[in-house]
Amino acid sequence: MDARFDHRGNPVGSKVTKYLLSASKAVGDSTLPAATQHLVEIRISQINGCARCIDMHTKDAEQAGETSVRLNLVAAWREATVFTDAERAALDLAEQGTRIADGDGGVSDEVWGNAAKHYDDDQLAALLSLVAVMNAWNRLNVITQQPAGDYQPGQW
């Protein structure tokens, strides 16, 4: 599969990419646990069908020490026993934040309250930003049909 558009090769797209990378770095530098970040990146990308991001984030997570069991169960996290309560709260918030149009009013008070129980304000800010940034990356990649499979850990 060939990409239908080189977003980074376009002056406007390149500028947008620069800012998205900056936002991604801010999240990565936050105190939100790296394992949680990886799980959320993967789950959002699964929901949005972004093969390029699934490829990248599963490989980066594995490189960071994530287990294949947990990586294989991200899509079915509700039924899996391998995630902490905090990770489950983050995944729930990420799902509802990604599926806003499918929900009744966006993220429910229950899901928000559960996340706030496990994460401080800085971590919540990072988590919310991660949900927003991942959805933006996914949309850019899916719309432009970016191919997947050849990513090398740490490439970007």
Side-chain angles (χ1 to χ4, degrees):
M1 177 163 114
D2 292 325
R4 61 167 53 137
F5 185 76
D6 179 10
H7 192 74
R8 294 177 186 189
N10 173 276
V12 173
S14 178
K15 187 182 274 190
V16 170
T17 297
K18 174 184 162 188
Y19 291 116
L20 285 174
L21 286 169
S22 179
S24 296
K25 182 172 177 4
V27 171
D29 291 344
S30 75
T31 60
L32 183 66
T36 301
Q37 292 181 43
H38 290 303
L39 296 172
V40 166
E41 291 164 344
I42 294 164
R43 185 64 191 126
I44 290 170
S45 299
Q46 289 171 335
I47 292 166
N48 290 325
C50 185
R52 185 179 190 105
C53 287
I54 294 168
D55 180 41
M56 177 171 59
H57 295 298
T58 54
K59 288 175 179 175
D60 284 345
E62 185 176 44
Q63 175 97 5
E66 190 57 78
T67 68
S68 60
V69 170
R70 284 168 45 97
L71 290 175
N72 291 331
L73 288 172
V74 172
W77 65 268
R78 290 180 195 285
E79 294 81 25
T81 60
V82 297
F83 302 106
T84 67
D85 288 343
E87 290 168 339
R88 298 168 79 72
L91 288 164
D92 209 4
L93 182 78
E95 281 197 8
Q96 284 195 7
T98 297
R99 294 180 166 154
I100 290 174
D102 298 339
D104 185 27
V107 175
S108 71
D109 288 341
E110 178 184 355
V111 167
W112 176 260
N114 194 29
K117 183 171 69 174
H118 293 284
Y119 299 102
D120 65 28
D121 284 352
D122 287 345
Q123 292 169 323
L124 281 172
L127 180 57
L128 295 173
S129 299
L130 180 57
V131 171
V133 169
M134 279 309 305
N135 276 287
W137 282 121
N138 287 172
R139 279 149 179 77
L140 288 172
N141 289 328
V142 170
I143 291 167
T144 61
Q145 296 182 341
Q146 297 299 309
D150 61 352
Y151 176 78
Q152 299 300 311
Q155 182 177 337
W156 291 307

